[in-house]
Amino acid sequence: MSDCIFCKIVNGGIPCSKVYEDEDILAFNDIAPARPVHVLVIPKKHISSLMTATPEDAPVFGKMLAKANEIAASQGSSDGFRVIINNGRVGGQEVPHLHMHIVGGPDPVGPMLKKL
Ligand code: AMP
Ligand code: ZN
């Protein structure tokens, strides 16, 4: 999508701090890290969110998950990490190109969500 910031990163129109790339996915450091390790993993194909995903997208999602440990360890989170995918308004998604956050570092990332 021509006006999508993450598609522009895939196409090289906007620079990124790349940590992994193959024919289907790209991983780069988040520009505003929330933890010592904060990587975004995206499908190169524009998929807006899990709200618009189809069964044909399953292989690339599998690859994103299957590569997460390698990416996290390569950035210094070798003793675990958390993955987060925000979806739509309720999920707090800011960039409408599906992305998986990998957050971690040397220390635990902390509690997930406050209980109701
Ligand atoms: P989300 O709220 O899940 O949509 O998260 C969007 C994430 O994208 C935020 O953590 C931003 O800091 C990050 N972000 C936005 N623009 C860029 C960029 N040009 N390069 C790297 N990360 C970015
Ligand atoms: Zn896009």
Coordinates of all heavy atoms in Angstrom, one line a residue, residues 18-113:
K18 N 17.4 -2.7 10.7 CA 16.9 -4.1 10.3 C 17.7 -5.1 11.2 O 18.9 -5.0 11.4 CB 17.2 -4.3 8.8 CG 16.8 -5.7 8.4 CD 16.8 -5.8 6.9 CE 18.1 -5.5 6.2 NZ 17.9 -5.6 4.7
V19 N 17.0 -6.1 11.7 CA 17.6 -7.1 12.4 C 17.4 -8.5 11.8 O 18.2 -9.4 12.1 CB 17.1 -7.2 13.9 CG1 17.5 -5.9 14.6 CG2 15.7 -7.5 14.0
Y20 N 16.4 -8.6 10.9 CA 16.2 -9.9 10.2 C 15.4 -9.7 9.0 O 14.5 -8.8 9.0 CB 15.5 -11.0 11.1 CG 15.3 -12.2 10.3 CD1 16.3 -13.2 10.1 CD2 14.0 -12.4 9.7 CE1 16.0 -14.3 9.4 CE2 13.8 -13.6 9.0 CZ 14.8 -14.5 8.8 OH 14.5 -15.6 8.1
E21 N 15.7 -10.4 7.9 CA 14.9 -10.3 6.7 C 15.0 -11.6 5.9 O 16.0 -12.2 5.8 CB 15.4 -9.2 5.8 CG 14.6 -9.0 4.5 CD 15.1 -7.8 3.7 OE1 16.2 -7.3 3.9 OE2 14.3 -7.3 2.9
D22 N 13.8 -12.0 5.4 CA 13.8 -13.1 4.4 C 12.8 -12.7 3.3 O 12.3 -11.6 3.3 CB 13.6 -14.5 5.0 CG 12.3 -14.7 5.7 OD1 11.3 -14.0 5.2 OD2 12.2 -15.5 6.6
E23 N 12.4 -13.6 2.5 CA 11.5 -13.3 1.4 C 10.1 -12.9 1.8 O 9.4 -12.2 1.1 CB 11.5 -14.4 0.3 CG 10.9 -15.7 0.8 CD 11.9 -16.6 1.5 OE1 12.9 -16.2 2.0 OE2 11.6 -17.9 1.5
D24 N 9.7 -13.3 3.0 CA 8.4 -13.1 3.5 C 8.2 -12.1 4.6 O 7.1 -11.5 4.8 CB 7.8 -14.4 4.0 CG 7.7 -15.5 2.9 OD1 7.3 -15.1 1.8 OD2 8.2 -16.6 3.2
I25 N 9.2 -11.9 5.4 CA 9.1 -11.1 6.7 C 10.3 -10.2 6.8 O 11.4 -10.5 6.3 CB 8.9 -12.0 7.9 CG1 10.1 -12.8 8.3 CG2 7.6 -12.8 7.8 CD1 10.0 -13.6 9.6
L26 N 10.1 -9.1 7.6 CA 11.1 -8.2 7.9 C 11.0 -7.9 9.4 O 9.9 -7.7 9.9 CB 10.9 -6.9 7.1 CG 11.9 -5.7 7.4 CD1 13.3 -6.1 6.9 CD2 11.4 -4.5 6.6
A27 N 12.2 -7.8 10.1 CA 12.2 -7.4 11.5 C 13.1 -6.2 11.7 O 14.2 -6.2 11.1 CB 12.7 -8.6 12.3
F28 N 12.7 -5.2 12.4 CA 13.5 -4.0 12.7 C 13.2 -3.5 14.1 O 12.2 -3.8 14.7 CB 13.2 -3.0 11.6 CG 11.8 -2.6 11.4 CD1 11.2 -1.6 12.1 CD2 11.0 -3.4 10.5 CE1 9.8 -1.3 11.9 CE2 9.6 -3.1 10.3 CZ 9.1 -2.1 11.0
N29 N 14.2 -2.8 14.6 CA 14.0 -2.2 15.9 C 12.9 -1.1 15.9 O 12.8 -0.3 15.0 CB 15.3 -1.6 16.4 CG 16.3 -2.6 16.8 OD1 16.1 -3.5 17.6 ND2 17.5 -2.6 16.2
D30 N 12.1 -1.2 17.0 CA 11.0 -0.2 17.2 C 11.7 1.2 17.4 O 12.7 1.3 18.1 CB 10.2 -0.5 18.4 CG 8.9 0.3 18.4 OD1 8.9 1.5 18.6 OD2 7.8 -0.3 18.2
I31 N 11.2 2.2 16.8 CA 11.8 3.6 16.8 C 11.7 4.2 18.2 O 12.5 5.1 18.6 CB 11.2 4.5 15.8 CG1 12.1 5.6 15.4 CG2 9.8 5.0 16.2 CD1 11.6 6.3 14.1
A32 N 10.7 3.7 19.0 CA 10.5 4.2 20.4 C 10.4 3.0 21.3 O 9.3 2.6 21.8 CB 9.2 5.0 20.4
P33 N 11.6 2.4 21.6 CA 11.5 1.1 22.4 C 10.9 1.3 23.8 O 11.2 2.2 24.5 CB 13.0 0.7 22.5 CG 13.8 2.0 22.2 CD 12.9 2.8 21.3
A34 N 10.1 0.3 24.1 CA 9.5 0.2 25.4 C 10.3 -0.7 26.4 O 10.0 -0.6 27.6 CB 8.1 -0.3 25.3
R35 N 11.2 -1.5 25.9 CA 12.0 -2.3 26.6 C 13.4 -2.4 26.0 O 13.5 -1.9 24.8 CB 11.5 -3.8 26.7 CG 10.2 -3.9 27.5 CD 10.5 -3.7 29.0 NE 9.3 -3.9 29.8 CZ 8.3 -3.0 30.0 NH1 8.4 -1.9 29.4 NH2 7.3 -3.3 30.8
P36 N 14.5 -2.9 26.7 CA 15.8 -2.9 26.1 C 15.8 -3.6 24.7 O 16.6 -3.2 23.8 CB 16.6 -3.6 27.1 CG 16.0 -3.4 28.4 CD 14.5 -3.3 28.1
V37 N 15.0 -4.6 24.6 CA 14.8 -5.3 23.3 C 13.4 -5.0 22.8 O 12.4 -5.3 23.6 CB 15.1 -6.8 23.4 CG1 14.7 -7.5 22.0 CG2 16.5 -7.1 23.7
H38 N 13.2 -4.4 21.7 CA 11.9 -4.1 21.2 C 12.0 -4.1 19.7 O 12.4 -3.1 19.0 CB 11.4 -2.7 21.7 CG 9.9 -2.5 21.4 ND1 9.2 -1.5 22.0 CD2 9.1 -3.1 20.5 CE1 7.9 -1.5 21.5 NE2 7.8 -2.5 20.6
V39 N 11.6 -5.2 19.1 CA 11.7 -5.5 17.7 C 10.3 -5.6 17.1 O 9.4 -6.2 17.8 CB 12.5 -6.7 17.4 CG1 12.5 -7.1 15.9 CG2 13.9 -6.6 17.9
L40 N 10.1 -5.1 15.9 CA 8.8 -5.3 15.2 C 9.1 -6.3 14.1 O 10.0 -6.1 13.3 CB 8.3 -4.0 14.6 CG 8.0 -2.8 15.6 CD1 7.6 -1.6 14.9 CD2 7.0 -3.3 16.7
V41 N 8.2 -7.3 14.0 CA 8.3 -8.3 12.9 C 7.0 -8.1 12.0 O 5.9 -8.1 12.6 CB 8.4 -9.7 13.4 CG1 8.6 -10.7 12.3 CG2 9.4 -9.8 14.5
I42 N 7.2 -7.9 10.7 CA 6.1 -7.6 9.8 C 6.1 -8.6 8.6 O 7.2 -9.0 8.2 CB 6.1 -6.2 9.4 CG1 7.2 -5.8 8.4 CG2 6.1 -5.2 10.5 CD1 7.2 -4.5 7.8
P43 N 4.9 -8.9 8.1 CA 4.9 -9.5 6.8 C 5.2 -8.5 5.8 O 4.8 -7.3 5.9 CB 3.4 -10.0 6.7 CG 2.7 -9.1 7.6 CD 3.6 -8.6 8.7
K44 N 6.0 -8.9 4.7 CA 6.3 -8.0 3.7 C 5.0 -7.6 2.9 O 4.9 -6.5 2.4 CB 7.4 -8.5 2.7 CG 8.7 -8.6 3.4 CD 9.8 -8.9 2.4 CE 11.2 -8.7 3.0 NZ 12.3 -9.1 2.1
K45 N 4.2 -8.5 2.8 CA 2.9 -8.3 2.2 C 2.0 -7.4 3.1 O 2.0 -7.6 4.3 CB 2.2 -9.6 1.9 CG 0.7 -9.5 1.4 CD 0.0 -10.9 1.5 CE -1.5 -10.7 1.3 NZ -2.2 -11.9 1.7
H46 N 1.3 -6.4 2.5 CA 0.5 -5.6 3.4 C -0.8 -6.4 3.9 O -1.6 -6.8 3.1 CB 0.0 -4.3 2.6 CG -0.8 -3.4 3.5 ND1 -0.3 -2.5 4.3 CD2 -2.2 -3.4 3.8 CE1 -1.2 -1.9 5.0 NE2 -2.4 -2.4 4.7
I47 N -0.8 -6.6 5.2 CA -2.0 -7.1 5.8 C -2.3 -6.1 6.9 O -1.4 -5.8 7.7 CB -1.7 -8.5 6.5 CG1 -1.2 -9.5 5.4 CG2 -2.9 -9.0 7.2 CD1 -0.6 -10.8 5.9
S48 N -3.5 -5.6 7.0 CA -3.8 -4.5 7.9 C -3.7 -5.0 9.4 O -3.1 -4.3 10.2 CB -5.2 -3.9 7.6 OG -5.2 -3.4 6.3
S49 N -4.3 -6.1 9.7 CA -4.4 -6.6 11.1 C -4.9 -8.0 11.0 O -5.4 -8.5 10.0 CB -5.2 -5.7 11.9 OG -6.6 -5.9 11.7
L50 N -5.0 -8.6 12.2 CA -5.6 -9.9 12.3 C -7.1 -9.8 12.0 O -7.8 -10.8 11.7 CB -5.4 -10.5 13.7 CG -4.0 -10.9 14.0 CD1 -3.9 -11.5 15.4 CD2 -3.4 -11.9 13.0
M51 N -7.7 -8.6 12.0 CA -9.1 -8.4 11.7 C -9.4 -8.6 10.2 O -10.6 -8.9 9.9 CB -9.5 -7.0 12.1 CG -9.4 -6.7 13.6 SD -9.5 -5.0 14.0 CE -11.2 -4.7 13.8
T52 N -8.4 -8.5 9.4 CA -8.6 -8.7 7.9 C -7.8 -9.9 7.4 O -7.8 -10.1 6.2 CB -8.2 -7.5 7.1 OG1 -6.8 -7.2 7.4 CG2 -9.1 -6.3 7.5
A53 N -7.2 -10.6 8.3 CA -6.3 -11.8 7.9 C -7.2 -12.9 7.3 O -8.4 -13.0 7.7 CB -5.5 -12.3 9.0
T54 N -6.6 -13.7 6.4 CA -7.4 -14.8 5.8 C -6.5 -16.1 6.0 O -5.4 -16.0 6.4 CB -7.5 -14.6 4.3 OG1 -6.2 -14.7 3.7 CG2 -8.1 -13.3 4.0
P55 N -7.1 -17.2 5.8 CA -6.4 -18.5 6.0 C -5.1 -18.5 5.1 O -4.1 -19.2 5.5 CB -7.4 -19.6 5.5 CG -8.7 -19.0 5.8 CD -8.6 -17.5 5.5
E56 N -5.1 -17.8 4.0 CA -3.9 -17.8 3.1 C -2.7 -17.1 3.8 O -1.6 -17.3 3.4 CB -4.2 -17.1 1.8 CG -5.1 -17.9 0.8 CD -6.5 -18.0 1.3 OE1 -7.1 -16.9 1.8 OE2 -7.1 -19.1 1.2
D57 N -3.0 -16.3 4.8 CA -2.0 -15.6 5.6 C -1.3 -16.5 6.6 O -0.3 -16.1 7.2 CB -2.5 -14.3 6.2 CG -3.1 -13.3 5.2 OD1 -2.5 -13.2 4.1 OD2 -4.1 -12.7 5.5
A58 N -1.8 -17.6 6.9 CA -1.4 -18.4 8.0 C 0.1 -18.8 7.9 O 0.9 -18.7 8.9 CB -2.2 -19.7 8.1
P59 N 0.7 -19.1 6.7 CA 2.1 -19.5 6.7 C 3.0 -18.3 7.1 O 4.0 -18.6 7.8 CB 2.3 -19.8 5.2 CG 1.0 -20.3 4.7 CD 0.0 -19.5 5.4
V60 N 2.7 -17.1 6.7 CA 3.6 -16.0 7.1 C 3.5 -15.7 8.6 O 4.5 -15.4 9.2 CB 3.3 -14.7 6.2 CG1 2.1 -14.0 6.6 CG2 4.5 -13.8 6.3
F61 N 2.3 -15.9 9.1 CA 2.1 -15.7 10.6 C 2.9 -16.8 11.3 O 3.6 -16.5 12.3 CB 0.7 -15.8 11.0 CG -0.2 -14.7 10.5 CD1 -1.6 -14.8 10.4 CD2 0.4 -13.5 10.1 CE1 -2.4 -13.8 9.9 CE2 -0.4 -12.5 9.6 CZ -1.8 -12.6 9.4
G62 N 2.9 -18.0 10.8 CA 3.7 -19.1 11.4 C 5.2 -18.8 11.3 O 5.9 -19.0 12.3
K63 N 5.6 -18.2 10.2 CA 7.0 -17.9 10.1 C 7.4 -16.8 11.1 O 8.5 -16.9 11.8 CB 7.3 -17.4 8.7 CG 8.7 -17.4 8.3 CD 8.9 -17.1 6.8 CE 10.1 -17.7 6.2 NZ 10.2 -17.4 4.8
M64 N 6.5 -15.8 11.3 CA 6.8 -14.7 12.2 C 7.0 -15.3 13.6 O 7.9 -14.9 14.4 CB 5.7 -13.7 12.2 CG 5.6 -12.9 11.0 SD 4.0 -12.0 10.7 CE 4.1 -10.9 12.1
L65 N 6.1 -16.2 14.0 CA 6.2 -16.8 15.3 C 7.4 -17.7 15.5 O 8.1 -17.7 16.5 CB 4.9 -17.6 15.7 CG 3.7 -16.7 15.9 CD1 2.4 -17.6 15.9 CD2 3.8 -16.0 17.3
A66 N 7.7 -18.5 14.4 CA 8.7 -19.5 14.5 C 10.1 -18.8 14.5 O 11.1 -19.4 15.0 CB 8.6 -20.5 13.3
K67 N 10.2 -17.6 14.0 CA 11.5 -16.9 14.0 C 11.7 -16.0 15.2 O 12.8 -15.5 15.4 CB 11.6 -16.0 12.7 CG 12.0 -16.7 11.5 CD 13.5 -17.0 11.5 CE 13.8 -17.9 10.3 NZ 15.2 -18.4 10.4
A68 N 10.7 -15.9 16.1 CA 10.7 -14.9 17.2 C 11.9 -15.2 18.1 O 12.6 -14.3 18.5 CB 9.4 -14.9 17.9
N69 N 12.1 -16.5 18.5 CA 13.1 -16.8 19.5 C 14.5 -16.4 18.9 O 15.3 -15.8 19.6 CB 13.1 -18.2 19.9 CG 14.0 -18.5 21.0 OD1 14.0 -17.9 22.0 ND2 15.0 -19.4 20.8
E70 N 14.7 -16.8 17.7 CA 16.0 -16.4 17.1 C 16.2 -14.9 17.0 O 17.3 -14.4 17.4 CB 16.0 -17.0 15.6 CG 17.3 -16.7 14.8 CD 17.1 -17.2 13.4 OE1 16.5 -18.3 13.2 OE2 17.6 -16.5 12.5
I71 N 15.2 -14.2 16.7 CA 15.3 -12.7 16.6 C 15.6 -12.1 18.0 O 16.5 -11.3 18.2 CB 14.1 -12.1 15.9 CG1 14.1 -12.5 14.5 CG2 14.1 -10.6 16.1 CD1 12.7 -12.2 13.8
A72 N 14.8 -12.6 19.0 CA 14.9 -12.1 20.3 C 16.3 -12.4 20.9 O 17.0 -11.5 21.5 CB 13.8 -12.7 21.2
A73 N 16.8 -13.6 20.7 CA 18.1 -14.0 21.2 C 19.2 -13.2 20.6 O 20.1 -12.7 21.2 CB 18.3 -15.5 21.0
S74 N 19.0 -12.9 19.3 CA 20.1 -12.2 18.6 C 20.2 -10.7 19.0 O 21.2 -10.1 18.9 CB 19.8 -12.2 17.0 OG 18.8 -11.3 16.7
Q75 N 19.1 -10.2 19.7 CA 19.1 -8.9 20.1 C 19.4 -8.7 21.6 O 19.3 -7.7 22.2 CB 17.8 -8.2 19.8 CG 17.5 -8.1 18.3 CD 18.6 -7.5 17.5 OE1 19.0 -6.4 17.8 NE2 19.2 -8.3 16.6
G76 N 19.6 -9.9 22.3 CA 19.9 -9.8 23.7 C 18.8 -10.3 24.7 O 18.8 -9.9 25.8
S77 N 17.8 -11.0 24.1 CA 16.7 -11.5 25.0 C 16.7 -13.0 24.9 O 15.8 -13.6 24.3 CB 15.4 -10.8 24.6 OG 14.4 -11.0 25.6
S78 N 17.7 -13.6 25.4 CA 17.9 -15.1 25.2 C 17.3 -15.9 26.3 O 17.3 -17.1 26.2 CB 19.4 -15.4 25.1 OG 20.1 -14.9 26.3
D79 N 16.7 -15.3 27.3 CA 16.1 -16.0 28.4 C 14.6 -15.8 28.4 O 13.9 -15.8 29.5 CB 16.7 -15.6 29.7 CG 16.4 -16.6 30.8 OD1 16.2 -17.8 30.5 OD2 16.5 -16.2 32.0
G80 N 14.0 -15.6 27.2 CA 12.6 -15.4 27.1 C 12.2 -14.0 26.6 O 13.1 -13.1 26.4
F81 N 11.0 -13.8 26.2 CA 10.5 -12.6 25.6 C 9.0 -12.6 25.5 O 8.4 -13.6 25.9 CB 11.1 -12.4 24.2 CG 10.8 -13.6 23.3 CD1 9.6 -13.6 22.5 CD2 11.6 -14.7 23.3 CE1 9.3 -14.7 21.7 CE2 11.3 -15.8 22.5 CZ 10.2 -15.8 21.7
R82 N 8.4 -11.5 25.2 CA 7.0 -11.5 25.0 C 6.6 -11.0 23.6 O 7.4 -10.1 23.0 CB 6.3 -10.5 26.0 CG 4.8 -10.4 25.9 CD 4.2 -9.6 27.0 NE 4.5 -10.2 28.3 CZ 4.4 -9.6 29.5 NH1 4.0 -8.3 29.6 NH2 4.7 -10.2 30.6
V83 N 5.6 -11.6 23.0 CA 5.1 -11.1 21.7 C 3.7 -10.5 21.9 O 2.9 -11.0 22.7 CB 5.1 -12.2 20.6 CG1 6.5 -12.7 20.3 CG2 4.2 -13.3 21.0
I84 N 3.5 -9.4 21.2 CA 2.2 -8.7 21.3 C 1.8 -8.3 19.8 O 2.7 -7.8 19.1 CB 2.4 -7.4 22.1 CG1 2.9 -7.7 23.5 CG2 1.1 -6.6 22.1 CD1 3.4 -6.5 24.3
I85 N 0.6 -8.5 19.5 CA 0.0 -8.0 18.3 C -1.2 -7.2 18.6 O -2.2 -7.7 19.1 CB -0.4 -9.1 17.3 CG1 0.9 -9.9 16.9 CG2 -1.0 -8.5 16.0 CD1 0.6 -11.1 16.0
N86 N -1.2 -5.9 18.4 CA -2.3 -5.0 18.7 C -3.2 -4.9 17.4 O -2.6 -4.8 16.3 CB -1.8 -3.6 19.0 CG -1.0 -3.5 20.3 OD1 -1.4 -4.2 21.3 ND2 0.1 -2.8 20.3
N87 N -4.5 -5.0 17.6 CA -5.4 -5.0 16.5 C -6.5 -4.0 16.7 O -7.3 -4.1 17.6 CB -6.0 -6.4 16.4 CG -5.0 -7.5 16.0 OD1 -4.6 -7.6 14.8 ND2 -4.5 -8.2 17.0
G88 N -6.6 -3.1 15.7 CA -7.7 -2.2 15.6 C -7.8 -1.2 16.8 O -6.9 -1.1 17.6
R89 N -8.9 -0.6 16.9 CA -9.2 0.5 17.9 C -9.1 -0.1 19.3 O -8.4 0.5 20.1 CB -10.5 1.1 17.6 CG -10.9 2.2 18.6 CD -12.3 2.8 18.4 NE -13.3 1.8 18.6 CZ -13.9 1.5 19.8 NH1 -13.5 2.2 20.8 NH2 -14.8 0.6 19.9
V90 N -9.8 -1.2 19.5 CA -9.8 -1.7 20.9 C -8.4 -2.2 21.3 O -8.0 -2.1 22.4 CB -10.9 -2.8 21.0 CG1 -10.8 -3.5 22.3 CG2 -12.3 -2.2 20.8
G91 N -7.7 -2.8 20.3 CA -6.4 -3.3 20.6 C -5.3 -2.2 20.7 O -4.2 -2.5 21.1
G92 N -5.6 -1.0 20.3 CA -4.7 0.1 20.4 C -3.6 0.1 19.3 O -2.5 0.6 19.5
Q93 N -4.0 -0.4 18.1 CA -3.1 -0.5 17.0 C -2.9 0.9 16.4 O -3.9 1.6 16.1 CB -3.6 -1.4 15.9 CG -2.7 -1.6 14.7 CD -3.3 -2.6 13.7 OE1 -4.4 -3.0 13.8 NE2 -2.5 -2.9 12.7
E94 N -1.7 1.4 16.3 CA -1.4 2.7 15.7 C -1.0 2.6 14.3 O -1.4 3.5 13.5 CB -0.3 3.4 16.5 CG -0.7 3.8 17.9 CD 0.5 4.2 18.8 OE1 1.6 4.4 18.2 OE2 0.3 4.4 20.0
V95 N -0.3 1.6 13.9 CA 0.2 1.5 12.5 C -0.6 0.4 11.8 O -0.5 -0.8 12.2 CB 1.7 1.2 12.4 CG1 2.1 1.0 10.9 CG2 2.5 2.3 13.0
P96 N -1.4 0.7 10.8 CA -2.3 -0.3 10.2 C -1.7 -1.2 9.2 O -2.2 -1.4 8.1 CB -3.4 0.6 9.6 CG -2.7 1.8 9.2 CD -1.6 2.1 10.2
H97 N -0.5 -1.7 9.5 CA 0.2 -2.8 8.8 C 0.6 -3.8 9.9 O 1.4 -3.4 10.8 CB 1.4 -2.3 8.0 CG 2.2 -3.3 7.3 ND1 2.5 -3.2 5.9 CD2 2.7 -4.5 7.6 CE1 3.2 -4.2 5.5 NE2 3.3 -5.1 6.5
L98 N 0.0 -5.0 9.9 CA 0.2 -6.0 10.9 C 1.6 -6.1 11.4 O 2.5 -6.2 10.5 CB -0.4 -7.3 10.5 CG -0.4 -8.4 11.6 CD1 -1.7 -9.2 11.5 CD2 0.8 -9.3 11.6
H99 N 1.9 -6.0 12.7 CA 3.2 -6.1 13.2 C 3.2 -6.8 14.5 O 2.3 -6.6 15.3 CB 3.9 -4.8 13.3 CG 3.1 -3.7 14.0 ND1 2.1 -3.1 13.3 CD2 3.1 -3.3 15.2 CE1 1.5 -2.2 14.2 NE2 2.1 -2.3 15.4
M100 N 4.2 -7.7 14.7 CA 4.3 -8.4 16.0 C 5.5 -7.7 16.8 O 6.6 -7.7 16.3 CB 4.7 -9.8 15.7 CG 4.8 -10.7 16.9 SD 5.1 -12.5 16.5 CE 6.8 -12.4 16.1
H101 N 5.1 -7.2 18.0 CA 6.2 -6.7 18.8 C 6.9 -7.9 19.5 O 6.2 -8.8 20.1 CB 5.6 -5.8 19.9 CG 4.8 -4.6 19.4 ND1 5.3 -3.3 19.6 CD2 3.6 -4.4 18.9 CE1 4.5 -2.4 19.1 NE2 3.4 -3.1 18.7
I102 N 8.2 -7.8 19.6 CA 9.0 -8.7 20.4 C 9.6 -7.8 21.5 O 10.4 -6.9 21.1 CB 10.1 -9.5 19.7 CG1 9.5 -10.4 18.6 CG2 10.9 -10.3 20.6 CD1 10.5 -11.1 17.8
V103 N 9.2 -8.0 22.7 CA 9.8 -7.2 23.8 C 10.5 -8.1 24.8 O 10.1 -9.2 25.1 CB 8.7 -6.3 24.5 CG1 8.3 -5.2 23.6 CG2 7.6 -7.1 25.0
G104 N 11.6 -7.6 25.3 CA 12.4 -8.3 26.2 C 13.7 -7.6 26.6 O 13.7 -6.4 26.6
G105 N 14.7 -8.4 27.0 CA 15.9 -7.8 27.5 C 16.4 -8.7 28.6 O 16.0 -9.9 28.7
P106 N 17.3 -8.2 29.4 CA 17.9 -9.1 30.4 C 16.9 -9.4 31.6 O 17.0 -10.4 32.2 CB 19.1 -8.3 30.9 CG 18.9 -6.9 30.5 CD 18.0 -6.9 29.3
D107 N 16.0 -8.4 31.8 CA 15.1 -8.5 32.9 C 13.6 -8.8 32.5 O 13.3 -8.5 31.4 CB 15.1 -7.2 33.7 CG 16.5 -6.9 34.2 OD1 17.2 -7.8 34.6 OD2 16.8 -5.7 34.0
P108 N 12.8 -9.4 33.4 CA 11.4 -9.7 33.0 C 10.7 -8.4 32.6 O 10.9 -7.4 33.1 CB 10.8 -10.2 34.3 CG 12.0 -10.8 35.1 CD 13.2 -9.9 34.7
V109 N 9.8 -8.6 31.6 CA 9.1 -7.4 31.1 C 8.0 -7.0 32.0 O 7.5 -5.9 31.8 CB 8.5 -7.7 29.7 CG1 9.6 -7.9 28.7 CG2 7.5 -8.8 29.7
G110 N 7.6 -7.8 33.0 CA 6.6 -7.4 34.0 C 5.2 -7.9 33.7 O 5.0 -8.7 32.7
P111 N 4.3 -7.5 34.5 CA 2.9 -8.1 34.4 C 2.3 -7.8 33.0 O 2.6 -6.7 32.4 CB 2.1 -7.5 35.5 CG 3.0 -6.4 36.0 CD 4.4 -6.6 35.6
M112 N 1.4 -8.6 32.6 CA 0.8 -8.4 31.3 C -0.2 -7.3 31.3 O 0.1 -6.2 30.8 CB 0.1 -9.7 30.8 CG -0.1 -9.7 29.3 SD -0.6 -11.4 28.8 CE -2.2 -11.6 29.5
L113 N -1.4 -7.5 31.8 CA -2.4 -6.4 31.9 C -2.9 -6.4 33.3 O -2.9 -7.4 34.0 CB -3.6 -6.7 31.0 CG -3.4 -6.5 29.5 CD1 -4.7 -7.0 28.8 CD2 -3.1 -5.1 29.1

